Amino acid sequence: MSRFWSDIVHQLTPYTPGEQPKIDNLVKLNTNENPYGPSPKVIEAIAAANHDGLRKYPDPNAGELKQTIANHFGLSVDSVFVGNSSDEVLAHVFRGLLKQDRPLLFPDITYSFYPVYCALFDIAYQQVALRDDFSLNIDDYSADNGGIIFANPNAPTGIAVPLADIKTLLERHSSSVIVVDEAYVDFGGESAVSLIVDYPNLVVTQTLSKSRGLAGLRVGFALANPELIEGLERIKNSFHPYTLDALALAGAQAAFLDVDYFEQSRQKVIDTRERTTVGLQKLGFTVLPSSANFVFAAHQTSDAGALFMKLRERGIVVRYFDKERLSDFLRISIGTDTEMQQLLSVLADILSEPAQ
Amino acid sequence: MSRFWSDIVHQLTPYTPGEQPKIDNLVKLNTNENPYGPSPKVIEAIAAANHDGLRKYPDPNAGELKQTIANHFGLSVDSVFVGNSSDEVLAHVFRGLLKQDRPLLFPDITYSFYPVYCALFDIAYQQVALRDDFSLNIDDYSADNGGIIFANPNAPTGIAVPLADIKTLLERHSSSVIVVDEAYVDFGGESAVSLIVDYPNLVVTQTLSKSRGLAGLRVGFALANPELIEGLERIKNSFHPYTLDALALAGAQAAFLDVDYFEQSRQKVIDTRERTTVGLQKLGFTVLPSSANFVFAAHQTSDAGALFMKLRERGIVVRYFDKERLSDFLRISIGTDTEMQQLLSVLADILSEPAQ
C-alpha cells in the first residue's frame, strides 16, 4: 500500500499466472502450452525479420498480419483487431465494449482473469452458475445485462458450448455485446466466427499461444463487425499504438500461412487428449468431456490437492485451483504422448501407495 | 460511433503516430528512430532465443531483464518495471499513479500522448505554458496538483530541464508523484535516475526505441522507489501479465549488456546533431538547443508547412505539427551524416527557389 497509488490500485487483486518453474527436466503440464511448438516457418520468418530494421517502428496498424488473418477466416480486414496476446485484446474489449451501465454476465467458473478486468475497469458484473455438470445453460443468462462473456471451450473445464446455443444467445441479447473467448477452440470446439457477418453484437477472441504453439510470442486477436473493431482500435490507439513488435508481426503471419502444420499439430494434441482421458479413467478419475488442450479430472477417492503436491515432488507440474467447485480437480495440459505416459505412470504409482 | 461502445470510447481522440510511409529510398527523419540500429549482440541474442522454446510462456516477471537494467543503473531489482514500450509503461503510470483527486500538471507543449492518456483514464489535468523560449520554468508549477509529468529532454523541442530544477520540484511537491519521461535523455540530457534513492515520489521512464536503436522491439521501463513499482506491477498484472515476448526479453537484455556499442552510437548521433544544427543555422533556421536525437527548427522567412511538403515531394520526410506555437517549426530526426547532408542540400535547393 502506498499514499502515491491511484485509488483503484488499492482495490486490485491481480491475476495469478500459472507457475513458470525454473527447474530442469520438469514435465510442465500446468499452463496449456503446445508441446509441438510453432511451425518451422515461423522460426524462419522471425529470423528473416531479425536485423538492423529493428531500429524502425513496426507498422502500428499491423496491416499485413490483419490481412493474413482476414483471409484465413474469410472476413474483411476491418473485422480484425490484433494485440499483444489475447489477454491484452480482452482488456481492450472489457474497457471498450463491456463497460456499460447494466452488469456484465459471465459464468461462475471460467477464465479467472474476467473478474480482474472488471475490478481494473470498474465494471459491474454478475456471475452465473454453471450447471452441476459444469456445462453452460444459456437459459440462465436471462438477467438484464450490458454484455456477456464466456470462454468456449470453457476453462478450466474444457467443456464446449454448442454453436446453436451461441446463436440463440446472440438473438436473445441483440443489444448486448456477446464475447466468445475461443483461446482453445481449435482443439475441438465449434468456432463462432461464421456468425460474425450476421451478428453485429458478436466478438470472437483467439490467441496464437495454444493451437499455434506461440505462447512465447504474445499475439492474440479479435474478430467482429467493423463497428466493434473500430471501438477497440480507438482504445488501443489511446493506450499504445505500436502493440506488436516487428518479430511478433512476422512470426504471427507465418503461423497463419502454414495451415498444414497447424492442422497436424492440433490433431496430434486432440489424439493424445483422447488417449490420456482413457488412461485417467482407468486410474479412477472422472474426466470432464474436453474440447481443449487440457483435461479437468477429479479422482474418485484421492484428494486433488495432495495429488498435485505428490506429482510436483516427482517432477510433474499440473494446475490445482483451491476454490469452491474446483478443488476436487486437477487441470492437466496435454503434452506429448511420452509426457502423458509419464504422467499416467507416476499417477498409477502414487495411487497405489498405501494411504497415510 | 456505435451503440455497442462503452461511453469512454465516444470521447476519445486517439494519438496519431508519426507516419510510417511504405516508399522505397525515403530519407525517413520523422519518428526519431536511431540510424545505427541495435547492437549486433542484440541480433545474436534474438537469434539464440528464436526456437521451439517459443511454445512456452515467457517469464511474466521478466526477472533477468529487470536484474540487468537494475545492475546497469545501480538500483535494486524491485526498483525496475518493464513493459511493451514506454508508451505502455506510461499508460500504467497514468492509470496507477497519476489518477488522483487533484489535477495532473504537464507542459502545454510536450509529448502529445499525455492528454490522450488523461482522456482514456479520466484524469483531470492542467497544461502549464512553457516560457516563450520553450524552456520549462519550475516556478510555474505552483498549482495544487496530484502529480506532474514532463519529458526531459522535451518533445518536440529537444530542450532539457536541469537536474537541479528537478530536485527542487521533487522537494516542493513531496506528496505528488513526479514523472520524468526520459525517452531522449541519452542524447545529452541529465538523467534523474540518481535521485530515485532519495525521492520516493520520483518515477523515471525510458525506452529502448531511441538510444538503443530498438523501436521495432517495443521495450520500455520505469525506475522508481519499490513502493511505486509495486503499484505499477499491480496494474500490469490486472491487465496483461506476460507483457514482453521471449524475443523482446532476450534482445533488450543484450542491448543493456553492450555498453560500448551504446556509447558509440549515441555519441555519433550527438555529433551529427551538432553538425546539422550548424548547417541549418547557415540556411537561415533558428534551431532550439537540443539534447535529443532530433532538432526543432523554424526558418526565418519560409513557411514550415510548405517546407514540409516540398521536402516530402523530394523524398525526405520530417514531422510538422500544425498546432499553436509549433506551426513555425519542423521536427527533424537525426539520421546518418549522409542523410543529414542530403537534407541540408535539398533544403538549400528549396530555399533558393524563387518565391511563388
PDB file of all heavy atoms in Angstrom, chain B residues 49-67:
ATOM      1  N   ALA B  49      17.312 -16.978 -29.151  1.00  0.00           N
ATOM      2  CA  ALA B  49      16.018 -17.230 -28.473  1.00  0.00           C
ATOM      3  C   ALA B  49      14.927 -17.658 -29.448  1.00  0.00           C
ATOM      4  O   ALA B  49      13.823 -17.994 -29.035  1.00  0.00           O
ATOM      5  CB  ALA B  49      15.577 -15.967 -27.727  1.00  0.00           C
ATOM      6  N   ASN B  50      15.250 -17.630 -30.735  1.00  0.00           N
ATOM      7  CA  ASN B  50      14.247 -17.915 -31.775  1.00  0.00           C
ATOM      8  C   ASN B  50      14.234 -19.408 -32.102  1.00  0.00           C
ATOM      9  O   ASN B  50      14.850 -19.859 -33.065  1.00  0.00           O
ATOM     10  CB  ASN B  50      14.571 -17.082 -33.022  1.00  0.00           C
ATOM     11  CG  ASN B  50      13.585 -17.329 -34.147  1.00  0.00           C
ATOM     12  OD1 ASN B  50      12.429 -17.687 -33.904  1.00  0.00           O
ATOM     13  ND2 ASN B  50      14.037 -17.142 -35.386  1.00  0.00           N
ATOM     14  N   HIS B  51      13.539 -20.176 -31.266  1.00  0.00           N
ATOM     15  CA  HIS B  51      13.494 -21.628 -31.462  1.00  0.00           C
ATOM     16  C   HIS B  51      12.190 -22.152 -30.879  1.00  0.00           C
ATOM     17  O   HIS B  51      11.317 -21.375 -30.455  1.00  0.00           O
ATOM     18  CB  HIS B  51      14.720 -22.289 -30.829  1.00  0.00           C
ATOM     19  CG  HIS B  51      14.917 -21.926 -29.400  1.00  0.00           C
ATOM     20  ND1 HIS B  51      14.001 -22.226 -28.420  1.00  0.00           N
ATOM     21  CD2 HIS B  51      15.908 -21.230 -28.783  1.00  0.00           C
ATOM     22  CE1 HIS B  51      14.435 -21.775 -27.252  1.00  0.00           C
ATOM     23  NE2 HIS B  51      15.587 -21.149 -27.446  1.00  0.00           N
ATOM     24  N   ASP B  52      12.102 -23.436 -30.861  1.00  0.00           N
ATOM     25  CA  ASP B  52      10.940 -24.154 -30.375  1.00  0.00           C
ATOM     26  C   ASP B  52      10.462 -23.716 -28.988  1.00  0.00           C
ATOM     27  O   ASP B  52       9.292 -23.871 -28.640  1.00  0.00           O
ATOM     28  CB  ASP B  52      11.349 -25.641 -30.346  1.00  0.00           C
ATOM     29  CG  ASP B  52      10.149 -26.519 -30.182  1.00  0.00           C
ATOM     30  OD1 ASP B  52       9.245 -26.425 -31.028  1.00  0.00           O
ATOM     31  OD2 ASP B  52      10.115 -27.265 -29.185  1.00  0.00           O
ATOM     32  N   GLY B  53      11.377 -23.152 -28.195  1.00  0.00           N
ATOM     33  CA  GLY B  53      11.023 -22.682 -26.851  1.00  0.00           C
ATOM     34  C   GLY B  53       9.960 -21.594 -26.869  1.00  0.00           C
ATOM     35  O   GLY B  53       9.380 -21.278 -25.822  1.00  0.00           O
ATOM     36  N   LEU B  54       9.686 -21.005 -28.045  1.00  0.00           N
ATOM     37  CA  LEU B  54       8.609 -20.010 -28.152  1.00  0.00           C
ATOM     38  C   LEU B  54       7.247 -20.606 -27.811  1.00  0.00           C
ATOM     39  O   LEU B  54       6.275 -19.893 -27.640  1.00  0.00           O
ATOM     40  CB  LEU B  54       8.570 -19.407 -29.566  1.00  0.00           C
ATOM     41  CG  LEU B  54       9.695 -18.432 -29.909  1.00  0.00           C
ATOM     42  CD1 LEU B  54       9.591 -17.998 -31.365  1.00  0.00           C
ATOM     43  CD2 LEU B  54       9.649 -17.211 -28.990  1.00  0.00           C
ATOM     44  N   ARG B  55       7.183 -21.935 -27.747  1.00  0.00           N
ATOM     45  CA  ARG B  55       5.923 -22.562 -27.343  1.00  0.00           C
ATOM     46  C   ARG B  55       5.565 -22.258 -25.888  1.00  0.00           C
ATOM     47  O   ARG B  55       4.409 -22.334 -25.491  1.00  0.00           O
ATOM     48  CB  ARG B  55       5.997 -24.081 -27.550  1.00  0.00           C
ATOM     49  CG  ARG B  55       6.866 -24.802 -26.542  1.00  0.00           C
ATOM     50  CD  ARG B  55       6.928 -26.297 -26.821  1.00  0.00           C
ATOM     51  NE  ARG B  55       7.543 -27.019 -25.710  1.00  0.00           N
ATOM     52  CZ  ARG B  55       6.888 -27.388 -24.609  1.00  0.00           C
ATOM     53  NH1 ARG B  55       5.606 -27.128 -24.477  1.00  0.00           N
ATOM     54  NH2 ARG B  55       7.505 -28.019 -23.633  1.00  0.00           N
ATOM     55  N   LYS B  56       6.565 -21.906 -25.090  1.00  0.00           N
ATOM     56  CA  LYS B  56       6.329 -21.665 -23.666  1.00  0.00           C
ATOM     57  C   LYS B  56       6.069 -20.187 -23.373  1.00  0.00           C
ATOM     58  O   LYS B  56       6.618 -19.309 -24.035  1.00  0.00           O
ATOM     59  CB  LYS B  56       7.551 -22.092 -22.847  1.00  0.00           C
ATOM     60  CG  LYS B  56       7.706 -23.575 -22.723  1.00  0.00           C
ATOM     61  CD  LYS B  56       8.726 -23.867 -21.632  1.00  0.00           C
ATOM     62  CE  LYS B  56       9.150 -25.318 -21.657  1.00  0.00           C
ATOM     63  NZ  LYS B  56      10.308 -25.563 -20.800  1.00  0.00           N
ATOM     64  N   TYR B  57       5.295 -19.918 -22.351  1.00  0.00           N
ATOM     65  CA  TYR B  57       5.116 -18.548 -21.892  1.00  0.00           C
ATOM     66  C   TYR B  57       6.455 -17.982 -21.453  1.00  0.00           C
ATOM     67  O   TYR B  57       7.279 -18.696 -20.876  1.00  0.00           O
ATOM     68  CB  TYR B  57       4.122 -18.495 -20.723  1.00  0.00           C
ATOM     69  CG  TYR B  57       2.698 -18.624 -21.190  1.00  0.00           C
ATOM     70  CD1 TYR B  57       2.076 -19.859 -21.265  1.00  0.00           C
ATOM     71  CD2 TYR B  57       1.999 -17.503 -21.613  1.00  0.00           C
ATOM     72  CE1 TYR B  57       0.774 -19.974 -21.735  1.00  0.00           C
ATOM     73  CE2 TYR B  57       0.706 -17.617 -22.089  1.00  0.00           C
ATOM     74  CZ  TYR B  57       0.098 -18.844 -22.150  1.00  0.00           C
ATOM     75  OH  TYR B  57      -1.173 -18.954 -22.630  1.00  0.00           O
ATOM     76  N   PRO B  58       6.668 -16.690 -21.715  1.00  0.00           N
ATOM     77  CA  PRO B  58       7.874 -16.052 -21.180  1.00  0.00           C
ATOM     78  C   PRO B  58       7.718 -15.835 -19.674  1.00  0.00           C
ATOM     79  O   PRO B  58       6.622 -15.999 -19.137  1.00  0.00           O
ATOM     80  CB  PRO B  58       7.888 -14.706 -21.919  1.00  0.00           C
ATOM     81  CG  PRO B  58       6.450 -14.422 -22.244  1.00  0.00           C
ATOM     82  CD  PRO B  58       5.789 -15.762 -22.459  1.00  0.00           C
ATOM     83  N   ASP B  59       8.809 -15.474 -19.027  1.00  0.00           N
ATOM     84  CA  ASP B  59       8.757 -15.150 -17.598  1.00  0.00           C
ATOM     85  C   ASP B  59       7.891 -13.900 -17.416  1.00  0.00           C
ATOM     86  O   ASP B  59       8.274 -12.817 -17.848  1.00  0.00           O
ATOM     87  CB  ASP B  59      10.191 -14.885 -17.101  1.00  0.00           C
ATOM     88  CG  ASP B  59      10.225 -14.411 -15.654  1.00  0.00           C
ATOM     89  OD1 ASP B  59       9.164 -14.402 -14.988  1.00  0.00           O
ATOM     90  OD2 ASP B  59      11.326 -14.026 -15.192  1.00  0.00           O
ATOM     91  N   PRO B  60       6.712 -14.016 -16.769  1.00  0.00           N
ATOM     92  CA  PRO B  60       5.852 -12.824 -16.657  1.00  0.00           C
ATOM     93  C   PRO B  60       6.498 -11.724 -15.825  1.00  0.00           C
ATOM     94  O   PRO B  60       6.162 -10.553 -15.981  1.00  0.00           O
ATOM     95  CB  PRO B  60       4.581 -13.366 -15.971  1.00  0.00           C
ATOM     96  CG  PRO B  60       4.979 -14.650 -15.326  1.00  0.00           C
ATOM     97  CD  PRO B  60       6.123 -15.201 -16.115  1.00  0.00           C
ATOM     98  N   ASN B  61       7.426 -12.081 -14.990  1.00  0.00           N
ATOM     99  CA  ASN B  61       8.094 -11.086 -14.157  1.00  0.00           C
ATOM    100  C   ASN B  61       9.335 -10.484 -14.819  1.00  0.00           C
ATOM    101  O   ASN B  61       9.924  -9.543 -14.307  1.00  0.00           O
ATOM    102  CB  ASN B  61       8.481 -11.714 -12.814  1.00  0.00           C
ATOM    103  CG  ASN B  61       8.946 -10.673 -11.830  1.00  0.00           C
ATOM    104  OD1 ASN B  61       8.361  -9.588 -11.758  1.00  0.00           O
ATOM    105  ND2 ASN B  61      10.023 -10.956 -11.114  1.00  0.00           N
ATOM    106  N   ALA B  62       9.744 -11.027 -15.982  1.00  0.00           N
ATOM    107  CA  ALA B  62      10.902 -10.506 -16.716  1.00  0.00           C
ATOM    108  C   ALA B  62      12.118 -10.366 -15.808  1.00  0.00           C
ATOM    109  O   ALA B  62      12.869  -9.388 -15.897  1.00  0.00           O
ATOM    110  CB  ALA B  62      10.557  -9.156 -17.380  1.00  0.00           C
ATOM    111  N   GLY B  63      12.304 -11.354 -14.942  1.00  0.00           N
ATOM    112  CA  GLY B  63      13.320 -11.266 -13.891  1.00  0.00           C
ATOM    113  C   GLY B  63      14.731 -10.966 -14.365  1.00  0.00           C
ATOM    114  O   GLY B  63      15.404 -10.102 -13.805  1.00  0.00           O
ATOM    115  N   GLU B  64      15.174 -11.669 -15.410  1.00  0.00           N
ATOM    116  CA  GLU B  64      16.561 -11.454 -15.852  1.00  0.00           C
ATOM    117  C   GLU B  64      16.756 -10.072 -16.459  1.00  0.00           C
ATOM    118  O   GLU B  64      17.761  -9.403 -16.217  1.00  0.00           O
ATOM    119  CB  GLU B  64      16.956 -12.529 -16.872  1.00  0.00           C
ATOM    120  CG  GLU B  64      17.108 -13.901 -16.229  1.00  0.00           C
ATOM    121  CD  GLU B  64      17.548 -14.955 -17.238  1.00  0.00           C
ATOM    122  OE1 GLU B  64      18.271 -14.611 -18.193  1.00  0.00           O
ATOM    123  OE2 GLU B  64      17.148 -16.125 -17.073  1.00  0.00           O
ATOM    124  N   LEU B  65      15.798  -9.649 -17.267  1.00  0.00           N
ATOM    125  CA  LEU B  65      15.904  -8.317 -17.869  1.00  0.00           C
ATOM    126  C   LEU B  65      15.900  -7.237 -16.786  1.00  0.00           C
ATOM    127  O   LEU B  65      16.728  -6.317 -16.806  1.00  0.00           O
ATOM    128  CB  LEU B  65      14.752  -8.086 -18.861  1.00  0.00           C
ATOM    129  CG  LEU B  65      14.682  -6.673 -19.448  1.00  0.00           C
ATOM    130  CD1 LEU B  65      15.966  -6.309 -20.198  1.00  0.00           C
ATOM    131  CD2 LEU B  65      13.465  -6.529 -20.365  1.00  0.00           C
ATOM    132  N   LYS B  66      14.996  -7.383 -15.824  1.00  0.00           N
ATOM    133  CA  LYS B  66      14.949  -6.390 -14.747  1.00  0.00           C
ATOM    134  C   LYS B  66      16.268  -6.329 -13.984  1.00  0.00           C
ATOM    135  O   LYS B  66      16.750  -5.252 -13.641  1.00  0.00           O
ATOM    136  CB  LYS B  66      13.825  -6.733 -13.759  1.00  0.00           C
ATOM    137  CG  LYS B  66      12.449  -6.323 -14.219  1.00  0.00           C
ATOM    138  CD  LYS B  66      11.460  -6.644 -13.108  1.00  0.00           C
ATOM    139  CE  LYS B  66      10.035  -6.388 -13.555  1.00  0.00           C
ATOM    140  NZ  LYS B  66       9.080  -7.003 -12.617  1.00  0.00           N
ATOM    141  N   GLN B  67      16.853  -7.510 -13.726  1.00  0.00           N
ATOM    142  CA  GLN B  67      18.121  -7.531 -12.989  1.00  0.00           C
ATOM    143  C   GLN B  67      19.221  -6.839 -13.794  1.00  0.00           C
ATOM    144  O   GLN B  67      20.034  -6.094 -13.236  1.00  0.00           O
ATOM    145  CB  GLN B  67      18.508  -8.979 -12.668  1.00  0.00           C
ATOM    146  CG  GLN B  67      19.713  -9.096 -11.749  1.00  0.00           C
ATOM    147  CD  GLN B  67      19.462  -8.464 -10.374  1.00  0.00           C
ATOM    148  OE1 GLN B  67      18.565  -8.877  -9.647  1.00  0.00           O
ATOM    149  NE2 GLN B  67      20.239  -7.441 -10.014  1.00  0.00           N
TER     150      GLN B  67
END
